[in-house]
Amino acid sequence: MIGKAYIIGTGPGDEELLTVKATRVLKNCTAVLYDRLVSNNILNYLNEDCLIYYCGKEPGAHYKSQDEINEMIVKLVKEGHIVGRVKGGDPYVFGRGGEEVLALVEEDLDFEVIPGVTSPISVLNYAGIPITQRAMAQSFHIVTGMTAASEKINWEALAKENGTLVFMMGLENLDRIVSNLISNGKDKSTLAAIVMRGTSSKQRKVIGTLENISAKAKESGLKSPCIIVIGEVVSLNEKLSWYEKKPLFGTNICITRSREQSSSLKVALRDLGAEVTEINSIKIEETKENLKPYIDKLKDYDHILLTSVNGVNNFFDYLVEENYDIRNIKAKFSVIGKATKKALMQRGIVPFIMAREFVGEGLFKVLAPHLNKGEKVLIPCSSSSRTYLMDEIRKLDLEVDRVHTYNTVAGILRNERAFDEVDYVLFTSPSTVNNMVDMISIERLKEKKLIAIGPQTAKAISNKGMECKVCTKHSEEGFLKEIIEFKEAENV
């Protein structure tokens, strides 16, 4: 059976600029080819059994030629794969997507092209530069800055334009671009800017004029990929700046939890301006069928303790599967953390007690005064979780059942190259520490700033011979507050 190819634009780098259609298609792909300009989290949308090929192109070093990429796409489609050719930006804006589609057309193979948010507009937006502006620029011209294509550029016409000029991939040829514009009549005092790696944590911006922009770029040490913009709209870069003013701008934070547990924290960090690298060092295997021997006893419990979102979901999902009438449960539900509280409330139950600290000690401390001798307690939890709560409650002469409703197992590292960009690594449990050591190595982790959400996690980091900061409040909220303080302290 012949497959199909999708030529997919993934935008300039910010994962949230990926289109809804692209995310849907990526989940169906059985083979994916990606390049270096693709966001570090895009591969997390793929199924575990999807084949992944790196086809990166860097200045002066190509891992695969364009002809080899074309041949590979064709070969994989003929083998029956749903192929995703994943490209930064838009496939048809200097992305060579047309060449790849023509290779498929020649073989009479099925294909679709999924547009992406194009970088000459979006990157300038993140730098506070609108590509058009009333009374400043009523048009724009996007030009490749690569050497081969520059021979065909009509420099005389460009120099006369009053609209915005944007040069893609032109940093290596900046001197030539500037020289050609000035020699053809462009005023050397015309405003110019260069934006490096826009929409990412490594975004940097240099502002100048045609006369001095080249010297400023060299002094700043800019590296590809960069976008060069020339025109009066550059004057708005400070007034319209928004991304660069966020408190965590310029920071890449790696979160190591399972995908199910990472979503709310990712959103919060991005809202603060951080780029988030998601490495799911653990994944969840459901074992909620372990509740079966206890289902008839649920009406007898006085307390049910839930320590994670997974614990909540697996518990209630099993009750639904068993057609269990929740009105039979008379127990008081208590939880650890706001995320677990939210998950419980989505099931229509307000927790009796919520421990703010992200540890069992915190829950026991606030719950103990409400526990009475002879009462029955159920703790649905992970097989790898500590027995602290069970042990301490039993010391008070209560009956405790601890049921493993899920396992946390090692995740899969999709894109090892993404870790190179990371500044901070957040660990939320000893298992995330142990798994990240296996996936990344202690040596590479030591190069980063490590943060533990609580003392047990910090102990696991220390046991591996690494140093870390520990959140004084053992919760996501504590981490969000303190990561800003950590960054501010470093910038002093």
Side-chain angles (χ1 to χ4, degrees):
M1 180 179 175
I2 301 293
K4 180 175 180 176
Y6 289 90
I7 313 301
I8 305 170
T10 63
D14 183 341
E15 178 193 349
E16 291 190 309
L17 296 181
L18 188 67
T19 65
V20 173
K21 184 171 185 178
T23 60
R24 175 177 63 80
V25 169
L26 285 169
K27 292 173 183 175
N28 296 325
C29 289
T30 59
V32 160
L33 295 79
Y34 77 103
D35 60 39
R36 75 183 182 104
L37 298 182
V38 169
S39 166
N40 53 26
N41 288 326
I42 297 302
L43 301 185
N44 289 338
Y45 290 91
L46 306 176
N47 290 321
E48 288 186 6
D49 56 354
C50 181
L51 302 176
I52 300 174
Y53 302 92
Y54 179 64
C55 303
K57 296 181 181 180
E58 300 179 37
H62 287 195
Y63 286 82
K64 288 188 181 295
S65 69
Q66 187 61 50
D67 287 341
E68 288 174 327
I69 294 171
N70 296 349
E71 291 169 5
M72 180 174 278
I73 296 171
V74 168
K75 176 177 177 291
L76 289 168
V77 172
K78 286 183 175 180
E79 289 175 355
H81 283 285
I82 302 300
V83 180
R85 171 61 174 121
V86 181
K87 310 171 76 70
D90 181 274
Y92 285 171
V93 180
F94 304 127
R96 306 189 78 165
E99 297 175 41
E100 293 163 354
V101 170
L102 288 173
L104 292 162
V105 170
E106 288 179 10
E107 299 290 333
D108 196 26
L109 297 174
D110 195 12
F111 71 91
E112 249 182 78
V113 181
I114 300 178
V117 176
T118 187
S119 58
I121 294 174
S122 55
V123 165
L124 297 188
N125 179 315
Y126 275 54
I129 302 173
I131 200 165
T132 64
Q133 177 73 10
R134 188 164 63 92
M136 284 189 181
Q138 284 75 46
S139 66
F140 60 86
H141 300 262
I142 302 172
V143 186
T144 178
M146 299 292 282
T147 304
S150 63
E151 301 294 344
K152 302 176 183 178
I153 294 173
N154 186 337
W155 293 103
E156 183 178 359
L158 281 181
K160 292 178 180 178
E161 280 293 339
N162 292 321
T164 305
L165 304 181
V166 179
F167 291 86
M168 307 288 295
M169 304 167 288
L171 184 64
E172 302 300 318
N173 296 310
L174 179 58
D175 287 338
R176 182 177 183 183
I177 291 169
V178 169
S179 175
N180 282 332
L181 288 173
I182 292 176
S183 64
N184 281 276
K186 199 75 172 172
D187 192 326
K188 61 183 180 181
S189 65
T190 303
L191 290 174
I194 302 175
V195 185
M196 182 183 89
R197 300 190 58 180
T199 80
S200 79
S201 63
K202 302 301 182 286
Q203 175 172 311
R204 292 176 63 190
K205 178 174 69 180
V206 172
I207 305 295
T209 64
L210 283 180
E211 185 176 30
N212 60 25
I213 192 66
S214 183
K216 286 191 171 187
K218 291 172 184 174
E219 182 181 346
S220 299
L222 298 185
K223 295 180 181 179
S224 294
C226 288
I227 289 179
I228 303 164
V229 55
I230 299 165
E232 192 177 353
V233 290
V234 173
S235 66
L236 297 171
N237 82 91
E238 290 187 7
K239 287 183 179 179
L240 301 187
S241 175
W242 58 272
Y243 181 51
E244 295 162 348
K245 292 180 179 179
K246 288 177 175 276
L248 290 181
F249 167 71
T251 306
N252 187 311
I253 300 173
C254 176
I255 53 179
T256 58
R257 310 169 93 174
S258 68
R259 180 178 297 184
E260 297 83 357
Q261 294 173 308
S262 297
S263 57
S264 63
L265 183 56
K266 280 174 65 177
V267 171
L269 287 170
R270 285 174 177 154
D271 284 344
L272 292 170
E275 181 178 5
V276 178
T277 296
E278 183 181 352
I279 298 181
N280 305 125
S281 67
I282 58 175
K283 64 178 182 177
I284 305 303
E285 288 185 350
E286 296 179 356
T287 58
K288 55 181 182 284
E289 65 277 0
N290 289 339
L291 283 165
K292 187 171 185 178
Y294 301 89
I295 195 121
D296 291 333
K297 296 171 58 179
L298 289 179
K299 63 182 183 301
D300 300 324
Y301 289 106
D302 300 288
H303 298 273
I304 297 177
L305 312 185
L306 295 162
T307 59
S308 70
V309 173
N310 290 314
V312 173
N313 292 336
N314 286 337
F315 178 76
F316 286 97
D317 287 349
Y318 184 73
L319 298 188
V320 171
E321 291 172 11
E322 294 296 312
N323 295 315
Y324 186 86
D325 189 340
I326 195 173
R327 290 173 295 183
N328 292 328
I329 299 177
K330 308 303 180 186
K332 297 174 180 177
F333 286 82
S334 296
V335 300
I336 291 178
K338 288 185 177 180
T340 311
K341 175 184 176 181
K342 181 179 179 181
L344 183 64
M345 292 186 69
Q346 287 173 341
R347 302 288 182 161
I349 297 175
V350 177
F352 172 60
I353 282 177
M354 182 196 78
R356 294 184 178 276
E357 294 184 357
F358 202 71
V359 286
E361 286 84 346
L363 180 55
F364 180 73
K365 179 181 177 181
V366 294
L367 181 63
H370 304 279
L371 299 176
N372 300 305
K373 183 178 179 179
E375 288 185 328
K376 296 180 180 180
V377 180
L378 177 66
I379 308 177
C381 59
S382 163
S383 60
S384 60
S385 62
R386 298 160 60 218
T387 62
Y388 174 84
L389 274 173
M390 178 181 70
D391 297 339
E392 294 301 310
I393 294 173
R394 281 180 175 171
K395 290 177 184 178
L396 300 178
D397 290 331
L398 281 79
E399 181 182 329
V400 183
D401 289 324
R402 187 172 185 266
V403 186
H404 301 152
T405 58
Y406 64 98
N407 299 322
T408 55
V409 299
I412 297 173
L413 183 59
R414 289 288 193 182
N415 184 4
E416 187 174 349
R417 296 168 61 89
F419 192 73
D420 295 338
E421 306 289 312
V422 168
D423 301 305
Y424 292 89
V425 183
L426 171 65
F427 294 101
T428 54
S429 67
S431 58
T432 61
V433 176
N434 297 331
N435 291 348
M436 283 292 286
V437 166
D438 292 338
M439 297 167 79
I440 299 293
S441 82
I442 289 176
E443 290 71 25
R444 292 185 70 195
L445 286 169
K446 282 183 175 180
E447 296 171 358
K448 312 300 181 182
K449 299 154 192 165
L450 311 183
I451 301 176
I453 205 165
Q456 296 300 321
T457 305
K459 183 179 179 181
I461 293 172
S462 178
N463 288 342
K464 295 292 184 180
M466 301 182 292
E467 297 180 354
C468 68
K469 294 181 179 292
V470 187
C471 295
T472 54
K473 292 185 177 179
H474 314 317
S475 63
E476 283 188 8
E477 293 76 14
F479 167 71
L480 290 170
K481 179 175 181 292
E482 291 177 58
I483 186 64
I484 296 174
E485 294 174 355
F486 293 156
K487 188 187 177 194
E488 288 176 347
E490 289 178 355
N491 293 335
V492 172

